[in-house]
Amino acid sequence: MRSITISSSSSNGFIDLMKIKVAARHISYRTLFHTILILAFLLPFVFILTAVVTLEGVNKCSSFDCLGRRLGPRLLGRVDDSGRLVKDFYKILNQVKNEEIPDGLKLPASFNHLVSEMKNNQYDARTFAFMLKAMMEKLEREIRESKFAELMNKHFAASSIPKSIHCLSLRLTDEYSSNAHARKQLPSPEFLPLLSDNSCHHFVLSTDNILAASVVVTSTVQSSLKPDRIVFHIITDKKTYAGMHSWFALNPASPAIVEVKGVHQFDWLTRENVPVLEAVENHNGIRNYYHGNHIAGANLSDTTPRRFASKLQARSPKYISLLNHLRIYIPELFPNLDKVVFLDDDVVIQRDLSPLFEIDLRGKVNGAVETCKGEDEWVMSKHFKNYFNFSHPLIAKNLDPDECAWAYGMNIFDLRAWRKTNIRETYHSWLKENLKSNLTMWKLGTLPPALIAFKGHVHPIDPFWHMLGLGYQNKTNIESVKKAAVIHYNGQSKPWLDIGFEHLRPFWTKYVNYSNDFISNCHILDSV
């Protein structure tokens, strides 16, 4: 029989092993308990952080990996330093702003080239800032030069006569010489008494543009409730007279009456009666001012495109034309008339104008729309300071810069009241003063001296009667155009020119008879 001997050492080893196992078991339970306790404490903070990150856009993450990349830096105490980088870059830009661009700095041709050079040459932020500044300044110069070039081209386009309109004038002039019907008396002898009949509605139009004149007359007659009471007095220059007469002889505006007269046919318009205008039209210095190089001597770096455009418009050759000044002589040209409505050739009539003749001017001479009280800040914000040079002592002494201006181009003139004033003499005297001052007293042709001459003689009328700005305000409200009685394409962008605004042109072209042989043969339709 075998025996088993248990040594004391073996016994002690077993007991120690049991203690270790029990101890290990006790440690695991305690660790687990503490772990759960710590997690219970941390979970709310993890939840809050997750919610914050989610609100900031982490909800766009589609995986735990993405979420980890977002949450990791935050849990480890790392923050996004892009804000600091931006602040540092702002600081560099402010430093560079007032410093000169280094000589020989080669500018990239485009943004893509700039990025490529940045990568290849490892530019620092300061070099990048200088490059950015240089590129921006170059771009600004090019844009500015381009704008001034555009304004000059527009000025030349506005001052020229389109080929189609020149063709119309030549063909009608030729018709006048070869066709007896084109030379017939205007108006017919039986209607001559109506030319001085003050019960009729008399309109005066001074122009050398046959097509424009036809639109004014046609739109007035078609919009009138009493066209048989309309009498048009059209005044033109000697070279256009035959063509203008021919047009209205072959295209009568019945039942309205149309009279066409050339400046040379008015006995009163002599050099003795208009010496100032003779000087204005023939003085070499003045002709150079209006027909010369408008950029030579001009400091383009010291002006804005808007100011330059205004100066160009002021130097339009039409401002030294006698036709443009004729309105100041209406009382003498039509001695038998009591009241007339004067119209520019760039207007379109959309309502019956007979109520204008019923307006009580309360003893004033000129019924006009004021141009300082409208909603359009560009067109209806004109005061005397917009037209006159108040640094000139005579202007500063005699005029108020904040006085409201008014519109020329659709005016009611009470000729009986006018003949009792010295308006014409005042107009002449201020033209003389401007000549003595080398044309430095005002910048626009005929309106400034008229603003002075009619001072105290103007009666404001409702703006409904005369809407301006269609020749220079591209953002003209179409609904307002539709409602206005008279719309005025004052400015360079005339509707018969290629530079006219496309969306405003149809209000004018609707009164052009494109089926007329002269119109179609001169391709008027193609040009407008």
Side-chain angles (χ1 to χ4, degrees), residues 75-127:
L75 292 173
L76 295 174
R78 298 173 186 168
V79 294
D80 183 6
D81 62 348
S82 62
R84 181 179 59 80
L85 291 174
V86 170
K87 288 180 181 178
D88 289 344
F89 191 58
Y90 284 159
K91 185 178 179 180
I92 293 171
L93 287 176
N94 280 326
Q95 291 173 353
V96 168
K97 180 175 65 174
N98 299 319
E99 295 182 25
E100 292 293 329
I101 298 172
D103 293 334
L105 185 65
K106 185 179 179 182
L107 297 182
S110 66
F111 180 76
N112 288 337
H113 289 151
L114 175 62
V115 173
S116 178
E117 288 189 20
M118 287 289 294
K119 289 181 180 179
N120 297 334
N121 300 320
Q122 296 295 308
Y123 290 144
D124 57 19
R126 186 175 177 81
T127 305

Side-chain angles (χ1 to χ4, degrees), residues 146-416:
S146 176
K147 185 63 179 177
F148 283 120
E150 176 193 349
L151 291 172
M152 279 302 303
N153 291 334
K154 191 172 183 180
H155 173 73
F156 291 136
S159 303
S160 63
I161 301 174
K163 181 179 179 181
S164 57
I165 292 181
H166 184 60
C167 164
L168 182 66
S169 180
L170 290 178
R171 285 177 177 268
L172 287 167
T173 300
D174 181 65
E175 193 72 12
Y176 183 85
S177 63
S178 60
N179 186 346
H181 291 290
R183 295 192 303 273
K184 70 179 181 181
Q185 186 174 343
L186 285 179
S188 300
E190 63 270 23
F191 295 117
L192 287 177
L194 296 178
L195 296 180
S196 56
D197 185 349
N198 282 297
S199 67
C200 294
H201 299 149
H202 294 267
F203 295 89
V204 176
L205 174 64
S206 176
T207 179
D208 61 354
N209 188 325
I210 299 171
L211 183 63
S214 72
V215 169
V216 175
V217 173
T218 302
S219 63
T220 304
V221 173
Q222 290 186 12
S223 301
S224 176
L225 298 177
K226 302 173 182 178
D228 57 315
R229 295 188 61 191
I230 290 177
V231 178
F232 258 98
H233 305 270
I234 299 176
I235 306 173
T236 190
D237 55 21
K238 191 171 184 178
K239 66 180 175 57
T240 313
Y241 170 74
M244 187 77 74
H245 186 108
S246 180
W247 173 265
F248 286 102
L250 299 174
N251 302 279
S254 302
I257 303 299
V258 176
E259 173 192 33
V260 177
K261 295 196 74 172
V263 171
H264 59 288
Q265 295 175 319
F266 287 98
D267 295 333
W268 188 85
L269 286 176
T270 62
R271 293 187 179 184
E272 291 73 23
N273 289 330
V274 288
V276 178
L277 294 184
E278 182 71 18
V280 167
E281 199 164 23
N282 295 313
H283 191 283
N284 286 333
I286 295 174
R287 293 191 68 82
N288 288 335
Y289 177 81
Y290 284 99
H291 293 280
N293 188 338
H294 301 325
I295 288 184
N299 186 4
L300 298 183
S301 62
D302 195 35
T303 188
T304 64
R306 179 173 177 176
R307 231 182 267 131
F308 185 66
S310 178
K311 290 180 180 179
L312 285 179
Q313 187 174 339
R315 295 174 74 167
S316 171
K318 73 176 184 178
Y319 290 127
I320 59 173
S321 166
L322 178 59
L323 285 176
N324 205 43
H325 291 269
L326 269 182
R327 66 194 85 186
I328 204 68
Y329 306 114
I330 288 177
E332 289 77 24
L333 299 181
F334 303 99
N336 298 319
L337 297 182
D338 295 338
K339 182 179 282 190
V340 301
V341 169
F342 177 86
L343 298 173
D344 268 349
D345 64 359
D346 52 356
V347 304
V348 172
I349 314 304
Q350 302 186 128
R351 298 288 185 274
D352 176 38
L353 297 188
S354 58
L356 290 177
F357 293 87
E358 308 303 323
I359 293 177
D360 182 6
L361 298 183
R362 299 178 184 177
K364 303 294 185 181
V365 173
N366 180 3
V369 169
E370 292 182 313
T371 55
C372 69
K373 300 177 180 178
E375 296 179 0
D376 192 328
E377 294 182 0
W378 177 261
V379 178
M380 301 296 285
S381 61
K382 301 294 193 301
H383 296 80
F384 275 29
K385 60 188 174 186
N386 296 103
Y387 298 100
F388 295 100
N389 174 19
F390 276 87
S391 63
H392 194 287
L394 272 179
I395 295 295
K397 179 182 178 180
N398 291 278
L399 302 177
D400 177 6
D402 295 319
E403 186 167 345
C404 189
W406 44 268
Y408 236 174
M410 200 293 296
N411 303 85
I412 313 162
F413 290 133
D414 185 335
L415 302 185
R416 290 173 299 180

Side-chain angles (χ1 to χ4, degrees), residues 48-69:
I48 292 172
L49 182 59
T50 304
V52 170
V53 176
T54 300
L55 290 175
E56 291 179 354
V58 176
N59 56 330
K60 296 179 181 178
C61 291
S62 59
S63 67
F64 285 108
D65 177 59
C66 173
L67 184 62
R69 289 197 305 272

